[in-house]
Amino acid sequence: MLNPIFVTHYSPRAEYGDIAPPSGSLIEKTISSVQSQVVDFSSDIVTDPLIVYNKPKDGHLQEEGAVYEQNIRDVIEDTEIELHTKLNEGLRPALQYALKKTSAPYVLFVEHDWEFLQNIEIRSLLEVFENNTRINYVRFNKWENSVKGNDTIVEETASYDIPLCKVSSFSNNPHIARRDPYTDWIENSEPSLRHVYRSLRRPRGSYSLQQIWRIFKNYYVLGKSQVKLFDGIEYVVDTKFKNEIRRLGFEQAHSRMGTYLYGGKMSGPHVRHLGR
């Protein structure tokens, strides 16, 4: 029923300390927390767990990137996880690749620097997905489940067999998603000029004029494939969702999107961002 998907890249940030790449310790810690708190990959509900490694495109980083790749292989040597390596073109191509390589009806997505802090009732959660087709996405919050950041609306619901909260956002933070709508979101998360217009009407986090100029110069003039806060899946999908909320109201927009937080109001945090 479930495909665990991890995405990693060579990121030797000082904030990671001794576990920073090229060490394999960062992703090892993430994988270990998923297996201990969410689901063991030898479980009968798991199939084809994989890591997509976005290796460096820059020539001067290729040697360090190769060391990191080998360290990842060492970490997963005795596990069920497969490693797939491709050039770093950003998160969207990595996720598109992973979704084409897998087929289970649900996806567990975790980037390489997260740790689960609480046990997740995974079988109960998947059963809720199975019995309620309007649930498309359940995120494990890095904060308590309350209005904060891009979570501009958080409403607890007692409609299901486990506590969940309706939420007005989409995030790359660790989550489980229903494959078909999720694939559509990723495929349709390419930025556009309409996206810039939508951003200007966001309740929080809209572009400034300075950011619009930076985006136009880098994406449309210089032709860069990755432009921060423009081509990211998270910001594009979340901005579309918030535009729908503005047009249709939260209840109708949410009934289409089906995004939830795991747990009731004020529960959590369920994960933490390593190194932050």
Side-chain angles (χ1 to χ4, degrees):
M1 292 182 68
L2 185 68
N3 284 134
I5 294 174
F6 300 88
V7 175
T8 187
H9 61 284
Y10 178 64
S11 53
R13 298 178 183 173
E15 66 198 42
Y16 295 141
D18 293 341
I19 64 174
S23 165
S25 298
L26 179 67
I27 195 164
E28 182 177 29
K29 192 167 187 175
T30 296
I31 291 169
S32 176
S33 81
V34 171
Q35 293 229 71
S36 63
Q37 301 282 25
V38 186
V39 63
D40 191 283
F41 298 157
S42 63
S43 167
D44 61 346
I45 61 173
V46 170
T47 185
D48 301 328
L50 63 83
I51 298 172
V52 177
Y53 171 41
N54 276 338
K55 71 178 182 180
K57 295 173 72 173
D58 296 339
H60 71 283
L61 292 177
Q62 288 182 0
E63 185 174 344
E64 294 93 333
V67 173
Y68 181 45
E69 181 176 354
Q70 183 55 54
N71 287 337
I72 298 171
R73 292 188 186 280
D74 292 343
V75 166
I76 66 174
E77 183 177 9
D78 297 321
T79 73
E80 298 83 359
I81 306 170
E82 287 190 0
L83 176 63
H84 297 250
T85 299
K86 62 186 296 299
L87 285 176
N88 189 354
E89 299 171 312
L91 179 59
R92 183 184 301 102
L95 253 179
Q96 288 172 324
Y97 175 90
L99 289 167
K100 288 174 182 176
K101 291 291 180 181
T102 56
S103 59
Y106 304 103
V107 171
L108 167 63
F109 174 68
V110 186
E111 291 187 272
H112 63 184
D113 53 358
W114 289 93
E115 181 179 23
F116 279 81
L117 303 175
Q118 298 188 36
N119 182 258
I120 305 302
E121 297 178 26
I122 188 66
R123 290 182 184 270
S124 297
L125 178 55
L126 289 174
E127 187 173 338
V128 166
F129 268 104
E130 285 284 275
N131 294 333
N132 301 276
T133 57
R134 288 192 173 183
I135 298 177
N136 291 324
Y137 162 105
V138 174
R139 189 174 93 234
F140 306 103
N141 208 346
K142 63 182 177 182
W143 299 309
E144 292 180 336
N145 289 344
S146 62
V147 172
K148 186 172 182 177
N150 289 324
D151 299 342
T152 52
I153 301 171
V154 176
E155 294 182 356
E156 185 168 356
T157 174
S159 301
Y160 309 116
D161 291 338
I162 60 173
L164 295 174
C165 291
K166 296 179 179 179
V167 69
S168 60
S169 61
F170 172 86
S171 169
N172 294 338
N173 293 179
H175 56 261
I176 290 179
R178 191 182 301 275
R179 172 178 294 276
D180 290 345
Y182 188 66
T183 299
D184 287 342
W185 298 345
I186 304 306
E187 291 293 333
N188 293 300
S189 65
E190 293 280 354
S192 64
L193 291 176
R194 178 177 290 184
H195 164 64
V196 174
Y197 173 73
R198 289 184 184 127
S199 167
L200 295 175
R201 310 190 75 173
R202 282 176 61 101
R204 296 181 188 176
S206 62
Y207 290 139
S208 65
L209 290 178
Q210 185 178 19
Q211 286 173 318
I212 292 173
W213 165 242
R214 177 186 60 81
I215 287 165
F216 181 81
K217 180 179 71 173
N218 284 285
Y219 198 79
Y220 291 100
V221 178
L222 300 179
K224 293 185 177 180
S225 60
Q226 297 182 52
V227 178
K228 191 174 182 181
L229 285 182
F230 182 56
D231 66 329
I233 294 169
E234 183 175 70
Y235 191 78
V236 174
V237 175
D238 187 63
T239 299
K240 282 184 179 180
F241 187 20
K242 285 179 168 51
N243 185 65
E244 291 295 286
I245 293 170
R246 182 187 60 80
R247 287 194 320 109
L248 304 173
F250 177 64
E251 288 303 320
Q252 188 173 345
H254 185 271
S255 70
R256 295 182 178 188
M257 195 71 174
T259 55
Y260 291 79
L261 297 174
Y262 183 80
K265 199 80 176 280
M266 301 309 294
S267 72
H270 293 98
V271 295
R272 75 180 182 99
H273 208 171
L274 297 169
R276 299 290 177 90

